[in-house]
Amino acid sequence: MNTSATKTSTVTADGRGSSVPEPDYLALLDRVTSWVQGPGEEWSGRIEATGTVPDDLWKQLREEGFLSLAAPRDLGGTGLSFVQWMGLMEVFSRSHASVRMIVHVLNGTWRAMNPFADEAQRQRFVLPAVAGETVVAFTLTEPANGSGADITSSVRRDGDTYYLSGRKHLITFGVRCDYWLLFARLEGSTGRDGTVALLVDRNTPGVQVEDTSATMGVRGTDHASLTFTDAPVPVGNRLGAEGDGLAVALGGFLTPSRISVAMSCVGLAQRAQQLAVDYARQRTTFGKPLASRQAIAFSLAENAADIAAAKALTLTAAAAWQAAEPTAAALSSMAKLTAVDMLGRVTDKALQVHGGIGYWQTQPIERVYRDARAQRFEEGTNEIQKAVIAREILGGAAG
């Protein structure tokens, strides 16, 4: 008897246990690939020319269902397994970095909210976010602190209202969002036990928003620096209990998000490699195609091996998280660390294959090269990833 055929899959609050039949998934993968290679390329040109992401692109992504792919069906999502979702992220990441950023963020923030939301909050915040009708900006990083228990933005409670003061920066979609999913601490507290997670309305009084979108790459994605001065936030907008703030921020969100960033590195590296291969085949020097030069061929071979290794590790991490294995957090950091370093090597070699012309904005590799550098900062630097990995391998010895 095949017991697996009779097993009932349980979908958790973060979507683990959900999946779609393989034929449906392959059809969806084909549709995403066609969009990335067709309309996605047209949007890329418009974004680079204007430096902004048009509202029409957000609308198209929503209408295509691309903002609701990763969530389970009971939240209005497509119900992909996490490993299936990573296959789509690999493809989306070959598109413009702002397209990838929109799809990555909007398919991820529900993971932080849903496990801690009550039913009223689920209806008000989670379901509209999954549908792509509202944009929730993850708001953790501060200019004078790291991205953990050392946050100093604080709230004081007066009845049914928190009054929020502090600063946040490098907040993706912090300008155009509908809500900031913001992490602060109770006034006078220290450590993780004093942290709270709040959904702060974008139009809350007492908030100063500075647009800081002028970046090296990922053009079109807005970023914000935020200053809060006694900004009122209803207690009803708190996710979980007082003291759950970092659990909301890090618990069900950070591990899968790091794996998603790792797969984004794989997809972007594949795009860089394909551009280099195409150029090497077309470019002729001294009467021979560039691809016939051993130095070029070896660089492309190294890239191919590098990409395959990073992809394999990322899929291992994705499967571990999907199965709720205890090694998933460390594997996610290993995957991101490895994939980020791989992407740097691959894009550098891919640009070098182009020679000097690769430095010009007329060449697609120039944008890919710029966008690749941003991956080092998403969901923690390489140094943070090493600390997570070291804690895992040394934990037993340290008692």
Side-chain angles (χ1 to χ4, degrees), residues 389-399:
I389 298 164
R391 185 168 64 240
E392 174 70 17
I393 61 178
L394 297 173

Side-chain angles (χ1 to χ4, degrees), residues 91-291:
V91 177
F92 276 118
S93 301
R94 300 171 195 157
S95 186
H96 192 279
S98 280
V99 171
R100 196 281 306 181
M101 186 70 81
I102 294 170
V103 173
H104 165 70
V105 171
L106 270 71
N107 276 282
T109 50
W110 65 271
R111 292 189 195 277
M113 296 187 289
N114 191 53
F116 293 87
D118 59 32
E119 189 53 37
Q121 292 172 329
R122 191 165 289 112
Q123 295 294 324
R124 184 181 172 196
F125 300 117
V126 179
L127 296 184
V130 169
E133 295 168 357
T134 62
V135 177
V136 178
F138 195 80
T139 308
L140 176 62
T141 305
E142 299 182 351
N145 305 294
S147 296
D150 62 339
I151 56 176
T152 55
S153 293
S154 65
V155 294
R156 58 180 177 84
R157 183 169 178 173
D158 186 356
D160 292 333
T161 303
Y162 288 116
Y163 290 91
L164 169 66
S165 296
R167 295 181 63 200
K168 300 288 184 178
H169 79 155
L170 308 180
I171 307 304
T172 303
F173 303 134
V175 177
R176 69 167 298 144
C177 67
D178 299 290
Y179 293 95
W180 296 292
L181 175 54
L182 184 142
F183 305 93
R185 66 172 53 262
L186 299 172
E187 193 173 53
S189 70
T190 59
R192 68 168 52 233
D193 292 340
T195 58
V196 292
L198 304 173
L199 282 154
V200 183
D201 191 292
R202 172 68 174 77
N203 298 311
T204 298
V207 185
Q208 180 182 346
V209 180
E210 179 187 359
D211 190 334
T212 56
S213 301
T215 53
M216 176 191 295
V218 199
R219 290 177 180 167
T221 293
D222 72 86
H223 302 277
S225 179
L226 311 170
T227 303
F228 300 89
T229 306
D230 280 334
V233 183
V235 171
N237 285 23
R238 186 191 70 219
L239 291 171
E242 291 183 346
D244 284 344
L246 282 187
V248 176
L250 308 179
F253 175 78
L254 193 60
T255 294
S257 191
R258 281 175 174 164
I259 298 168
S260 183
V261 172
M263 190 56 84
S264 298
C265 292
V266 170
L268 190 58
Q270 291 169 341
R271 177 68 189 278
Q273 173 77 338
Q274 190 59 56
L275 291 171
V277 168
D278 292 345
Y279 188 83
R281 286 172 172 164
Q282 297 163 9
R283 172 80 163 124
T284 299
T285 61
F286 299 98
K288 293 183 179 180
L290 199 61

Side-chain angles (χ1 to χ4, degrees), residues 254 258 329-330 332-338 340 375-391:
L254 193 60
R258 281 175 174 164
S332 75
S333 286
M334 292 178 195
K336 182 177 185 291
L337 172 68
T338 300
V340 161
Q375 306 292 341
R376 283 184 173 270
F377 309 113
E378 277 192 73
E379 313 303 13
T381 62
N382 279 8
E383 290 71 27
I384 290 291
Q385 311 311 324
K386 291 174 185 177
V388 172
I389 298 164
R391 185 168 64 240

Side-chain angles (χ1 to χ4, degrees), residues 8-12 14-19 73 79-82 322:
T8 300
S9 176
T10 301
V11 180
T12 61
D14 51 20
R16 281 180 276 198
S18 180
S19 65
R73 284 179 286 275
L80 297 171
S81 72
F82 188 67
Q322 184 172 292

Side-chain angles (χ1 to χ4, degrees), residues 283-328:
R283 172 80 163 124
T284 299
T285 61
F286 299 98
K288 293 183 179 180
L290 199 61
S292 69
R293 310 295 179 186
Q294 189 179 68
I296 298 299
F298 279 11
S299 287
L300 296 174
E302 290 166 352
N303 277 358
D306 227 357
I307 294 168
K311 180 177 178 178
L313 177 55
T314 301
L315 288 174
T316 297
W321 187 83
Q322 184 172 292
E325 294 178 5
T327 56

